[in-house]
Amino acid sequence: MMHSVPKTMTAVLLTGHGGLEKLVYSRDVPVPAPAAGEVLIKVTACGMNNTDVWVREGAYGTEDDPSAVSTWRRHGNTLTFPRIQGTDTVGHIIAVGEGVDRARIGERVMVDFSIYNRDDDSLADIDYMGHGRDGGYAEYMALPAENAHVVATDLTDVELATFCCAYLTGERMLERARLAAGETVLVTGASGGVGSAIVQLARARGAVPIAVAGPGKEAAMLEIGAEAVVTRGQGDLTEGVEAASGGRLIDVVADLVGGPLFNDLLKILRPEGRYTTAGAIAGPVVQLDLRTMYLKQLELHGSSQGSRADFRRLVRYIEEKKIRPLVGGIYPLSEFHRAQTDFMAKNFVGKLVVVPD
């Protein structure tokens, strides 16, 4: 049963694939009602991610045509318009659906945005809130009660909203690549949301992260835990990594950039090294010399989102203060276009967070 919940709310609606004009700020979107097994939260903060932009642009291509306008899921599209995007949602439970304990009303929760569609840890049919159902760029959001998690932390709502998508993605990448204590991982795109998360998550595992980041971001990378920083675009990448690593072999490459860097990253890996990727902001279509892959006995992993077990580790890291939030900027929902424009410019470290007006 719902109490003191308005009938309409403000939200940003994605109305189709295209430019920023496809994002419509509306004040009269119906407030969702929690179905059986669901809760309704009043949203207090929602972090922004590359996936928001790529889904809006339809930039995921298809297996047959990399340039085709297509959404995030390779098989079985679940995106319909209008859609409220937003994955990294934090809020307070204000109503519950049938079968949910009313004692949960009042809880502050971080949303596990994944729609798992399976009972095991396979991600073969993974989906997410903000794509397969509405997300957190709104005043209110309904979601399954099991996806609303209380986190024992004194972090603010904005700080808590920096974690979920980026850190869950990063944790899954490192888990798939089996990054172990004492190993060295090279992180590309290290100043972004996922990249800065991986730097911290590597330290949480006892591994040694070396960051690749743009000019002017070196000090920020060292401050969050990078052992050394290679400045992107300055000199030969292979030589830069060799100098930065101090002779350490690179066990794992966690790549979020792709594009022209791809072959250099495989050259940098030690024999039997592991490459893992969850993004390609510099270009998704790359050339691969299979001889490098098989002669060096390399492993290549594609990764996206994370499992329930990955999410539980993430919550534990937050509660144990092994990772910390990096807020790159805060924007009201009514200035969403400016927020996404600034996000695409990448002139920040960490995450941009949107809050209701």
Side-chain angles (χ1 to χ4, degrees):
M1 184 175 180
M2 298 169 62
H3 295 279
S4 303
V5 178
K7 292 183 179 180
T8 61
M9 64 180 181
T10 57
V12 173
L13 302 175
L14 177 65
T15 59
H17 294 304
L20 290 174
E21 76 281 355
K22 296 298 184 179
L23 295 168
V24 177
Y25 176 77
S26 175
R27 296 181 181 274
D28 59 357
V29 177
V31 173
E38 293 187 347
V39 298
L40 179 70
I41 65 171
K42 183 174 176 58
V43 175
T44 53
C46 188
M48 187 170 286
N49 293 282
N50 282 319
T51 306
D52 299 327
V53 177
W54 282 44
V55 166
R56 168 175 59 78
E57 294 176 341
Y60 284 96
T62 66
E63 292 177 350
D64 295 323
D65 181 2
S67 63
V69 174
S70 179
T71 188
W72 180 82
R73 276 170 60 100
R74 272 290 190 254
H75 303 287
N77 178 38
T78 59
L79 177 66
T80 57
F81 302 113
R83 172 66 74 218
I84 300 172
Q85 294 181 289
T87 60
D88 290 7
T89 312
V90 172
H92 299 257
I93 296 176
I94 61 168
V96 298
E98 181 181 351
V100 180
D101 189 346
R102 286 183 52 81
R104 296 207 63 183
I105 294 176
E107 290 179 353
R108 182 182 76 154
V109 296
M110 179 172 75
V111 174
D112 177 359
F113 63 96
S114 294
I115 303 172
Y116 293 103
N117 290 322
R118 294 173 61 133
D119 294 329
D120 57 20
D121 271 346
S122 170
L123 302 183
D125 194 27
I126 197 75
D127 200 353
Y128 71 90
M129 301 175 200
H131 184 277
R133 62 180 291 165
D134 286 338
Y137 292 141
E139 290 185 287
Y140 299 92
M141 177 183 174
L143 65 141
E146 64 184 6
N147 289 71
H149 296 265
V150 174
V151 182
T153 177
D154 58 2
L155 294 174
T156 67
D157 294 2
V158 165
E159 289 171 332
L160 197 56
T162 64
F163 286 115
C164 194
C165 184
Y167 285 71
L168 185 65
T169 298
E171 179 64 14
R172 183 63 177 179
M173 289 172 69
L174 299 185
E175 184 71 6
R176 290 210 67 191
R178 305 184 308 281
L179 181 69
E183 290 191 317
T184 301
V185 55
L186 182 70
V187 186
T188 68
S191 64
V194 179
S196 58
I198 292 173
V199 171
Q200 295 188 65
L201 291 165
R203 286 295 189 190
R205 288 172 173 252
V208 178
I210 296 174
V212 180
K217 298 176 180 178
E218 296 89 349
M221 295 295 92
L222 294 171
E223 202 272 330
I224 66 170
E227 184 77 7
V229 183
V230 179
T231 305
R232 187 184 68 245
Q234 295 188 3
D236 181 78
L237 178 65
T238 304
E239 293 176 357
V241 171
E242 185 176 355
S245 67
R248 285 178 173 270
L249 295 177
I250 303 301
D251 302 284
V252 172
V253 165
D255 182 25
L256 302 162
V257 175
L261 291 182
F262 179 74
N263 277 317
D264 283 342
L265 296 173
L266 296 192
K267 289 193 296 182
I268 288 166
L269 271 173
R270 67 165 173 83
E272 297 186 339
R274 290 96 71 194
Y275 169 95
T276 179
T277 183
I281 58 176
V285 180
V286 299
Q287 288 188 324
L288 169 62
D289 187 335
L290 288 172
R291 294 166 296 186
T292 300
M293 181 179 171
Y294 70 73
L295 291 174
K296 292 181 70 175
Q297 313 279 346
L298 300 180
E299 295 180 25
L300 274 62
H301 295 276
S303 186
S304 181
Q305 289 182 233
S307 67
R308 296 177 181 88
D310 298 324
F311 185 86
R312 289 192 295 269
R313 280 195 306 277
L314 174 58
V315 170
R316 187 175 75 245
Y317 289 152
I318 296 170
E319 294 179 338
E320 294 176 352
K321 300 183 178 180
K322 290 185 176 180
I323 54 177
R324 61 185 181 87
L326 296 171
V327 181
I330 305 172
Y331 298 77
L333 195 63
S334 57
E335 296 185 20
F336 194 87
H337 280 199
R338 181 169 69 90
Q340 197 151 101
T341 298
D342 290 351
F343 179 87
M344 291 185 292
K346 301 297 181 185
N347 294 321
F348 61 93
V349 174
K351 292 293 289 291
L352 302 187
V353 180
V354 177
V355 298
D357 298 320

